[in-house]
Amino acid sequence: HGINSILNVPMIFEGEVIGLLGLANQKVGRKWLDDEISLMRVIGQIFINAIKRKESVQILLESEQSHREIYNATNVAIVIQDFETGKILDVNNAMLLMFGITYSEALNIDLKNLSSEIKDYSEKKALELFQKVFKEGPEVFEWQIKRKDGSYFWAEVSLKIAEIKGTKRMLSVIRDIS
């Protein structure tokens, strides 16, 4: 095709050649300028960075999917709440089944709707326990819980503060013990 001069620049990642980036020219004996060679190296590095970033994103997505599957495979309810406001940010499938609610309902439910409100199982007492976790650390206790259909069950509740993605969260693990 009339190609008479070729410039091949190795693409190197972590000290290993993973490919070549080349330019071709029809001019016989063309001398490639240092700026052209440097530009090809920069372009090669941009390609490598894009490829490696894509590979890293894929690995992260697979890891997140694996963690999500484990999170939803357990038979204990897991509730993640905002540390400051107490708003529910995420729940697993076991929580939805245990309480008889949908995911969107779980994200918008009030604490008083999860407690039986009988004797010491009130929203007020629950908030006191949350405050105790803030001040003293993890707590494990039995609690009478109300499902959406109005029925009650006994649960063991474990509360602790956890750092998730660099942010403090309240983590509740609820096990049906009835």
Side-chain angles (χ1 to χ4, degrees):
H1 294 280
I3 297 173
N4 293 305
S5 183
I6 296 177
L7 168 65
N8 282 320
V9 177
M11 294 191 299
I12 300 170
F13 181 74
E14 294 180 350
E16 212 175 294
V17 175
I18 63 167
L20 295 172
L21 186 61
L23 280 179
N25 194 292
Q26 293 178 338
K27 187 176 178 184
V28 176
R30 180 180 190 301
K31 173 135 175 72
W32 297 97
L33 302 173
D34 289 341
D35 286 347
E36 293 170 319
I37 295 169
S38 293
L39 178 61
M40 291 301 288
R41 285 190 178 122
V42 169
I43 291 170
Q45 194 59 51
I46 291 169
F47 285 155
I48 290 170
N49 292 344
I51 290 166
K52 293 302 178 183
R53 183 167 12 131
K54 184 177 179 182
E55 289 172 358
S56 295
V57 166
Q58 184 61 35
I59 290 167
L60 285 173
L61 288 173
E62 290 170 6
S63 176
E64 184 176 336
Q65 181 179 1
S66 176
H67 284 90
R68 177 72 48 187
E69 288 171 7
I70 293 167
Y71 177 68
N72 283 314
T74 183
N75 61 353
V76 296
I78 300 172
V79 180
I80 301 171
Q81 295 172 268
D82 182 272
F83 180 76
E84 300 293 328
T85 67
K87 179 173 175 29
I88 294 175
L89 302 173
D90 194 20
V91 300
N92 67 348
N93 289 340
M95 193 277 191
L96 303 176
L97 293 171
M98 195 178 288
F99 288 77
I101 58 178
T102 66
Y103 186 76
S104 61
E105 287 172 327
L107 297 182
N108 294 300
I109 202 162
D110 286 330
L111 190 57
K112 65 183 173 191
N113 294 332
L114 301 178
S115 299
S116 69
E117 296 295 321
I118 298 171
K119 294 185 183 179
D120 287 333
Y121 306 104
S122 65
E123 178 184 24
K124 181 181 176 190
K125 180 67 175 176
L127 291 172
E128 288 172 11
L129 287 164
F130 280 27
Q131 289 299 318
K132 190 173 180 184
V133 171
F134 293 147
K135 293 176 185 171
E136 299 175 23
E139 285 289 320
V140 178
F141 52 90
E142 290 183 3
W143 197 258
Q144 190 176 46
I145 295 176
K146 182 173 67 174
R147 291 186 182 94
K148 181 181 177 180
D149 68 6
S151 63
Y152 301 108
F153 68 98
W154 286 99
E156 176 187 78
V157 179
S158 173
L159 294 178
K160 73 176 283 185
I161 297 170
E163 191 169 307
I164 301 172
K165 295 182 182 177
T167 305
K168 280 187 180 180
R169 302 291 186 213
M170 175 67 79
L171 180 65
S172 304
V173 177
I174 305 162
R175 185 171 61 94
D176 186 339
I177 58 172
S178 56

